[in-house]
């Protein structure tokens, strides 16, 4: 029998052949749980080192706030939102199943299908956005080099990016860990070179002259940063920590998840703010082509390396999304193997990317509407998941996560009603004026005395924070007895279990 030395990235034998992951929603056995919490750095850093982080500087300033306000909103939004991911990642080492299966402890086995469906929509949306951006960036680079840049280039770029993403997502955990390690090294080095090359375009006088905005505009930027970063990942936060041994330290899981996810976005945000604040034309161009616009200030010789760093960084995020979206689809009730679910998501990703690349007139408007609209129910789910996790003192019962008549129940009404109430409140407090199909939102801004859809609070998007807070506090107040009964070994009376 051939033996290999241990791989420092995932703690598994180095030099082993790459294999298709056969795990879906099933339990990861203790014998397969390897590595240490520090291995979580690689997938989280690789998924968030994308140069898209530079564009968030322009997005933040677009709320009408100053450099210092945007910096504060960005740092706070990135760190806090990824800290939520770190907390939920602890559920992975407490259990042996994907995030959206562990969520069954709070929602019941079949009741969990609602948040699983929402999670699936969010991750498919994100993988579509990232794939489309990689395609647009490649076309822009090729256009500047005189190698094309038209429809043919976009089609070829889309095929290559989609192939990398789908293959990684279908192959599973082993390939993803190796791919993210390579992406981390390559994109890290090339991003540093990019920063050095364009540093001369920063003009502090222009940056410091950007006027300050209102508190409401600051809150709007803060919420946007939270939904654009950590809140877009919370529903997948335990998908990788579930491969760690149960004895792993919870604080280390939180720390390495948060650190790995935060370090690149924070550095990229600062530089992106300086670039966008130095040039209004660049800031406006980012809204239409967030990655391609960044090439306009590059020397020609670095355009190809920039295309590499842009594509790999975006693929790094898309691969994690398509892996987790497949798991979410299975948790929502689709009876197929994980790799087939990932293939289905890949097909939807390609269709959505075709629309964004070839038919959409603007990127930022639908992107903002997508983040805010799905950010509200995901924030509600996150609040319930965090409170449920905080109430627990024991590891999950892996078997009962799959049994409708087990301790976690089937369709308990309380968490579902709380999710719906928090979502209804949240949608009533957000607006998306740049997306006409979302004009129905914000219906509570008037009745609550916040100035209506055209008032000062309309752009603050308080609904995301309100949904998170209501769901969290509601679960702490209403879920304590239920959790205690579960950990004592039996569902509480009146749980409301329905037959399978």
């Amino acid at each position: 029998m051939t033996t290999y030395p241990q791989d420092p990235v995932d703690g598994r034998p180095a030099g082993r052949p790459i294999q298709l992951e056969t795990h879906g929603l099933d339990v990861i056995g203790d014998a397969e749980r390897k590595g240490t919490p520090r291995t979580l750095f690689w997938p989280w850093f690789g998924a968030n080192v994308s140069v898209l982080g530079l564009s968030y500087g322009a997005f933040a300033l677009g709320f009408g706030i100053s450099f210092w306000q945007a910096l504060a909103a960005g740092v706070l939004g990135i760190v806090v939102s990824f800290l939520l991911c770190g907390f939920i990642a602890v559920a992975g080492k407490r259990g042996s199943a994907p995030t959206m299966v562990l969520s069954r402890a709070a929602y019941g086995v079949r009741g969990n299908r609602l948040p699983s469906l929402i999670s699936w929509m969010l991750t498919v949306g994100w993988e579509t956005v990232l794939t489309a951006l990689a395609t647009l960036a490649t076309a822009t680079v090729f256009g500047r080099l005189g190698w094309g840049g038209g429809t043919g280039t976009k089609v070829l770029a889309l095929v290559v990016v989609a192939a990398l993403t789908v293959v990684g997502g279908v192959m599973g955990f082993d390939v993803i860990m190796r791919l993210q390690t390579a992406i981390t090294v390559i994109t890290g080095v090339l991003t540093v070179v990019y920063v050095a090359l364009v540093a001369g375009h920063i003009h502090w006088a222009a940056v410091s002259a950007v006027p300050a905005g209102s508190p409401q505009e600051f809150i709007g930027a803060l919420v946007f940063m939270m939904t654009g970063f950590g809140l877009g990942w919370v529903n997948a936060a335990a998908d990788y920590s579930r491969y760690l041994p149960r004895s792993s330290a919870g604080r280390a899981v939180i720390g390495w998840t948060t650190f790995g996810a935060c370090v690149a976005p924070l550095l990229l945000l600062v530089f992106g703010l300086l670039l966008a604040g130095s040039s209004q034309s660049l800031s406006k161009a980012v809204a239409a082509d967030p990655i391609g616009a960044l090439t306009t200030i590059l020397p020609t010789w670095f355009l190809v390396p920039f295309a590499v760093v842009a594509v790999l960084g975006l693929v790094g995020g898309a691969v994690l999304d398509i892996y987790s979206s497949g798991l979410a689809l299975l948790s929502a009730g689709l009876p197929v193997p994980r790799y087939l679910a990932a293939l289905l998501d890949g097909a939807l990703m390609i269709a959505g990317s075709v629309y964004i690349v070839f038919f959409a007139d603007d990127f930022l408007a639908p992107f903002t509407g997508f983040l805010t609209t799905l950010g509200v129910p995901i924030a509600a789910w996150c609040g319930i998941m965090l409170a449920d996790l905080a109430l627990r003192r024991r590891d999950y019962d892996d078997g009962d996560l799959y049994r409708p008549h087990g301790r976690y129940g089937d369709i308990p009404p309380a968490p579902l009603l709380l999710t719906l109430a928090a979502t209804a409140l949240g949608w009533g407090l957000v607006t998306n004026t740049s997306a006409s199909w979302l004009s129905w939102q914000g219906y509570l801004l008037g009745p609550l005395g916040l100035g209506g859809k055209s008032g000062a609070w309309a752009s603050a998007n308080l609904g995301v924070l309100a949904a998170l807070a209501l769901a969290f506090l509601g679960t702490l107040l209403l879920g304590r007895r239920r959790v205690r009964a579960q950990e004592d070994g039996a569902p509480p009376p009146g749980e409301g279990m329905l037959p399978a």
Side-chain angles (χ1 to χ4, degrees), residues 16 32 59 124 153 180 205 215 235 242 343 364 375 391 425 439 463 495:
R16 66 198 182 281
E32 297 182 73
F59 297 159
V124 169
T153 302
Q180 296 298 71
N235 54 312
R242 68 183 173 130
L343 282 174
L364 188 55
L391 291 172
L425 173 64
S439 60
E495 182 62 32

Side-chain angles (χ1 to χ4, degrees), residues 447-466:
L448 294 180
L450 297 175
K453 297 181 181 181
S454 59
W457 287 100
S459 62
N461 286 328
L462 288 174
V464 175
L465 300 178

